[in-house]
Amino acid sequence: MAQSPRASLVFAKSCSDCGQRQVELPRPLPEIGDDFDWMLRDYDSFRLFMLEELAARFPERSRWTPADIEVVLVEALAVVLDQLSDQLDRSHSEAYLDSARRPDSLRRLLTLIGYDAVREHYPLSWSDSKLVKHLLATKGYDPTGLPFEPDLGRSEVLVRLLVWLGKPANALGVAPNLNQRVTERAFLQLLGYDADNLREALDLDLPPHRRFATQALDQRWYHYPHLMEEARAAGPARLHRNRRMVTLDDYRERSEDHPLVLRASASSRWGGSWSTIDLVMVLSGNGELDQSIAAVIPADELEQVQQAVDDFHWREQLPSVDWQLQPGFRSVINAYVDKYRMAGQEVWLLDATPVGLYLNLSVKVDGNYFQSEVRQAINQALGSDAGGFFEPGRLAFGQDIHASDLIETLMALEGVNAVCLNRFKRVGDRYPDQSGAGVISLDGTEIARCDNRIGQPARGYWRLSLHGGQRG
């Protein structure tokens, strides 16, 4: 063990009062050479290095065989060093998102950048027997006594489960299907859940559900590693996506992300004390903000729209929508805007200004086509259904309507030989005919409408005269 050097006081010969403290330090230790190759990583390199070391230390020995105890020890040590080296490499790779291979490592690294892999990638399905057993256990049932696998994607299995739970076999109907929202809600209520769908029942904000979903996702990724690549790519991409409404473009772009919003336009106005954001929207089905969603969306499309809204609110971690209350567009969209708008920023949701158009068309039909078929094709081409010229969201705010676009749309139909636009104007006597000019100018938040519905002439209509063709 090194000792502290002792200091000595030395006086000069010319002056007996002038002294100087002197310390004699020990000589520095000689450098120890490092002949170890730090690039050694595998079994072969470790074994070769130790055998070379043996040969260098015992030069008088010229022959080494695999049966020598020294060679056996060298090979045993090489195996252990190779395992430790592999563990080091694995631990190092697990620390980075692009090289992590363990499901739990990838999930934790995604959590560090704010990406909830469990919410985004854990598939919820009534066909998942483990998930069904977890939901049963949460409500006090013992799923270990089930004599069958609860694959509730099949009606007959769902009926067997109802009987096992002590419920009538026809409690959900003769052939219940959990893909139907009403049946799914009724089944969850039978289990004791106050939820409308499977996602609400498996509330990931509750620790027991979160732990179950996390373990299930890790097992899924462990058995199917290729599924991890989707999350590995989606996580960093989410960092580049703006999730706040700050500028007017943010309000417009983020609003259009919502499934119920087809078009959006944002403007700012000064109210005397603070600025207010006016957010004008074109909604699904040409609905209005204060209308009920169920009253606007057709019955055959309503369930699809509800599912799209539920999926969006799930991803954005928004409150689920209670569809039994028949909510309006404003209440659903306002919950989304309130989450991402700036604190203290006043935002008004407004409907677009509809501009009804009146069209008077004369169409010459080819002699080989029936007039009824051509009339139906024209109604579809100009209608507000999917693919129609006046489909909701197709036209932008303030977009002018050109007669040439309408004629081009009709001329593309089979059986149409010629189109004459006799009247082309806004609805109302005070607006002049623009068939000569060929364009109806719109401005601001105006949106052209031509719904052609009986009793609603203000939303636009057309009159169609067919000539030629075959009757019938």
Side-chain angles (χ1 to χ4, degrees):
M1 184 174 179
Q3 297 180 353
S4 300
R6 294 183 178 181
S8 59
L9 190 60
V10 179
F11 293 92
K13 296 181 180 180
S14 59
C15 179
S16 58
D17 295 331
C18 299
Q20 185 178 11
R21 187 183 302 274
Q22 294 182 353
V23 177
E24 184 177 357
L25 298 177
R27 300 180 63 182
L29 297 176
E31 294 184 1
I32 300 177
D34 183 9
D35 58 350
F36 182 76
D37 186 2
W38 294 96
M39 299 302 293
L40 302 180
R41 308 297 293 174
D42 55 6
Y43 169 82
D44 291 332
S45 58
F46 284 126
R47 177 179 177 276
L48 180 60
F49 175 82
M50 287 187 285
L51 289 177
E52 291 176 348
E53 185 70 18
L54 282 176
R57 292 195 178 191
F58 304 98
E60 67 279 2
R61 186 170 177 176
S62 60
R63 185 173 181 271
W64 300 87
T65 65
D68 295 337
I69 187 62
E70 296 89 342
V71 177
V72 173
L73 292 176
V74 164
E75 292 179 347
L77 290 174
V79 170
V80 176
L81 290 174
D82 181 62
Q83 293 175 348
L84 295 176
S85 177
D86 180 69
Q87 292 181 9
L88 179 62
D89 292 339
R90 289 177 179 270
S91 301
H92 183 267
S93 64
E94 294 300 315
Y96 300 94
L97 183 62
D98 59 345
S99 58
R101 291 295 178 266
R102 291 175 56 89
D104 54 342
S105 299
L106 178 62
R107 178 174 45 78
R108 292 191 181 101
L109 291 171
L110 290 173
T111 303
L112 291 177
I113 61 176
Y115 186 79
D116 191 349
V118 178
R119 182 178 294 273
E120 296 287 344
H121 296 277
Y122 175 58
L124 297 176
S125 173
W126 285 111
S127 298
D128 187 350
S129 301
K130 294 182 179 179
L131 174 57
V132 175
K133 291 180 179 180
H134 170 74
L135 295 177
L136 293 174
T138 302
K139 289 303 178 180
Y141 299 99
D142 185 10
T144 58
L146 271 175
F148 56 91
E149 287 296 322
D151 179 5
L152 302 187
R154 298 184 295 169
S155 299
E156 60 274 14
V157 179
L158 178 57
V159 172
R160 291 183 63 186
L161 181 62
L162 291 175
V163 175
W164 185 81
L165 293 174
K167 310 293 182 182
N170 60 350
L172 300 177
V174 179
N177 185 2
L178 291 181
N179 292 328
Q180 299 177 354
R181 302 177 64 88
V182 177
T183 306
E184 184 180 28
R185 184 188 308 113
F187 177 67
L188 289 172
Q189 291 176 354
L190 285 177
L191 295 182
Y193 285 94
D194 185 15
D196 292 337
N197 51 61
L198 183 56
R199 285 176 174 170
E200 293 183 21
L202 191 71
D203 188 358
L204 295 181
D205 292 332
L206 300 179
H209 294 322
R210 169 67 69 167
R211 286 194 297 268
F212 168 80
T214 300
Q215 294 174 1
L217 180 64
D218 288 350
Q219 292 178 2
R220 179 180 176 83
W221 280 356
Y222 178 79
H223 294 294
Y224 306 101
H226 66 278
L227 298 178
M228 299 170 58
E229 300 306 319
E230 181 181 354
R232 196 192 311 275
R238 186 65 64 86
L239 292 175
H240 300 282
R241 186 179 180 187
N242 180 23
R243 306 308 303 161
R244 281 292 168 192
M245 298 180 181
V246 181
T247 65
L248 295 180
D249 288 339
D250 293 339
Y251 278 95
R252 175 183 57 81
E253 294 172 359
R254 299 286 73 77
S255 297
E256 291 180 351
D257 290 341
H258 199 282
L260 295 178
V261 181
L262 303 179
R263 289 274 185 177
S265 175
S267 61
S268 178
R269 58 183 172 86
W270 179 252
S273 299
W274 56 78
S275 61
T276 301
I277 301 296
D278 289 337
L279 197 53
V280 185
M281 299 179 175
V282 176
L283 304 175
S284 297
N286 277 331
E288 298 180 358
L289 286 166
D290 294 323
Q291 287 182 312
S292 171
I293 299 175
V296 174
I297 306 298
D300 56 341
E301 301 177 6
L302 180 59
E303 186 169 348
Q304 182 180 358
V305 172
Q306 291 176 344
Q307 187 63 45
V309 173
D310 289 340
D311 293 343
F312 181 80
H313 281 229
W314 169 268
R315 293 193 304 268
E316 301 296 332
Q317 301 184 28
L318 295 169
S320 58
V321 180
D322 190 352
W323 297 107
Q324 289 183 314
L325 301 178
Q326 295 188 352
F329 287 94
R330 187 183 298 275
S331 62
V332 176
I333 298 174
N334 198 44
Y336 171 59
V337 175
D338 280 344
K339 180 176 181 179
Y340 291 111
R341 68 179 176 88
M342 297 292 292
Q345 176 66 67
E346 185 179 30
V347 180
W348 284 21
L349 304 184
L350 304 175
D351 289 309
T353 304
V355 176
L357 303 184
Y358 167 52
L359 310 176
N360 191 316
L361 299 165
S362 295
V363 178
K364 184 178 180 181
V365 182
D366 188 272
N368 296 326
Y369 289 84
F370 288 102
Q371 289 189 3
S372 59
E373 295 177 346
V374 175
R375 184 183 296 275
Q376 183 179 3
I378 292 176
N379 290 336
Q380 292 178 352
L382 296 181
S384 56
D385 295 332
F389 187 88
F390 293 99
E391 178 186 1
R394 177 182 175 275
L395 300 175
F397 290 98
Q399 179 178 345
D400 298 338
I401 305 301
H402 295 269
S404 59
D405 294 336
L406 289 170
I407 295 175
E408 181 183 4
T409 300
L410 297 181
M411 288 298 297
L413 301 177
E414 294 185 3
V416 176
N417 282 344
V419 177
C420 181
L421 192 58
N422 301 320
R423 299 278 284 177
F424 182 55
K425 61 186 294 293
R426 295 189 183 208
V427 173
D429 295 336
R430 60 195 180 103
Y431 296 108
D433 180 24
Q434 301 294 338
S435 58
V439 60
I440 296 178
S441 299
L442 303 181
D443 191 19
T445 60
E446 294 179 332
I447 290 285
R449 295 275 296 273
C450 197
D451 298 349
N452 197 40
R453 295 182 180 177
I454 298 176
Q456 298 180 357
R459 292 294 186 262
Y461 62 99
W462 65 76
R463 291 179 180 176
L464 185 60
S465 299
L466 300 180
H467 306 279
Q470 301 181 23
R471 300 288 181 178

